[in-house]
Amino acid sequence: MAANTRMASAVQILCVIAYAGRPATTAEVIARSLTTNPVVVRRMLKSMENQGLVTIRPGKDGGVQLARPPGQITLDEIYQAIEADTGIFALRPAENPKCPVDRRMRDLLTPILGATNQAVQATLRRTTLASLVDAIA
Amino acid sequence: MAANTRMASAVQILCVIAYAGRPATTAEVIARSLTTNPVVVRRMLKSMENQGLVTIRPGKDGGVQLARPPGQITLDEIYQAIEADTGIFALRPAENPKCPVDRRMRDLLTPILGATNQAVQATLRRTTLASLVDAIA
């Protein structure tokens, strides 16, 4: 599979915002850190705004800021913001009702993939954004 | 992101092989269960052969079989077979040495993503292929 760098991108975006501090920074500044397009950054910022992690103020005096102190943001919240309901593994659509295996996969895999997703979130919850930002010289 | 269904596909492939039992089944039969192309199935079978999960015998009497009883195959081995070294989250390439945030991300994220990957594997290790196949009527 194409390696999933969305989590790494999202963490870096929030680190840049925290590192830049006040006044608000912009998607253009963040995009330079990630060597990517501001459009990509804006799309991820929108997801993080929906999750209550950042506030975005439009206009010429606008910009993006953390919605909370970095010590109160844990990485599982960032994960939830960008992976939404998909989780790390997704089920396949059941399309072959005649196949006894295909018919059962959804029921059999749902609890396993759910447990995996919870393990990921529990692990990410142990790290705050502040612990990363404090380690950036 | 495009939801990652590779894990669900790989588990289903092995369930079909186990369910079909002996004699060996084929990529074509497996592909019908998944409603996908045999080429896709063959590529994943190759990864699972490299991991020691299946044996593939070419030729007209050939086919694919489990390399071990399903009670001795745990889902973390399937995960390792198909996700290889990538893990669930990948680091971004550091491309902006002038940015103090970008410069530090690799070192800061490596242990966190490693711990996440280990949590996923520990969770998947609790389930054997047999426990799934036994639940397929």
Side-chain angles (χ1 to χ4, degrees), chain A residues 1 3-4 8-9 12 19 32-34 79 83 89-92 96 99-100 102 104-105 108 119-120 123 135-136, chain B residues 1 3-4 6 8-9 12 19 32-34 79 83 89-90 92 96 99-100 102 104-105 108 119-120 123 135:
Chain A
M1 77 179 271
N4 176 11
S9 298
Q12 184 163 345
Y19 186 81
R32 277 202 289 279
S33 171
L34 280 87
Y79 171 76
E83 299 296 350
F89 301 126
L91 294 165
R92 307 181 71 259
N96 190 345
C99 172
D102 195 53
R104 291 288 287 139
M105 289 315 294
L108 292 174
V120 169
T123 305
I136 297 171
Chain B
M1 75 179 271
N4 176 9
R6 277 173 60 84
S9 297
Q12 183 164 344
Y19 186 80
R32 278 202 289 278
S33 171
L34 281 86
Y79 170 76
E83 299 296 350
F89 301 126
R92 307 180 71 257
N96 189 346
C99 173
D102 194 53
R104 292 288 286 139
M105 288 316 294
L108 292 174
V120 168
T123 304

Side-chain angles (χ1 to χ4, degrees), chain B residues 23-46:
Chain B
T25 189
T26 64
E28 286 71 20
V29 169
I30 299 168
R32 278 202 289 278
S33 171
L34 281 86
T35 330
T36 191
N37 195 303
V39 175
V40 175
V41 173
R42 273 193 211 96
R43 199 178 305 134
M44 295 188 79
L45 284 173
K46 191 75 202 157

Side-chain angles (χ1 to χ4, degrees), chain A residues 44-67:
Chain A
M44 296 190 78
L45 284 174
K46 191 73 201 158
S47 301
M48 294 197 269
E49 184 184 41
N50 292 339
Q51 183 74 13
L53 298 177
V54 301
T55 54
I56 304 170
R57 211 173 48 190
K60 86 171 166 56
D61 295 327
V64 55
Q65 287 185 325
L66 296 181

Side-chain angles (χ1 to χ4, degrees), chain A residues 108-124:
Chain A
L108 292 174
L109 283 180
T110 296
I112 297 165
L113 303 189
T116 309
N117 216 29
Q118 275 172 21
V120 169
Q121 296 207 28
T123 305
L124 293 175

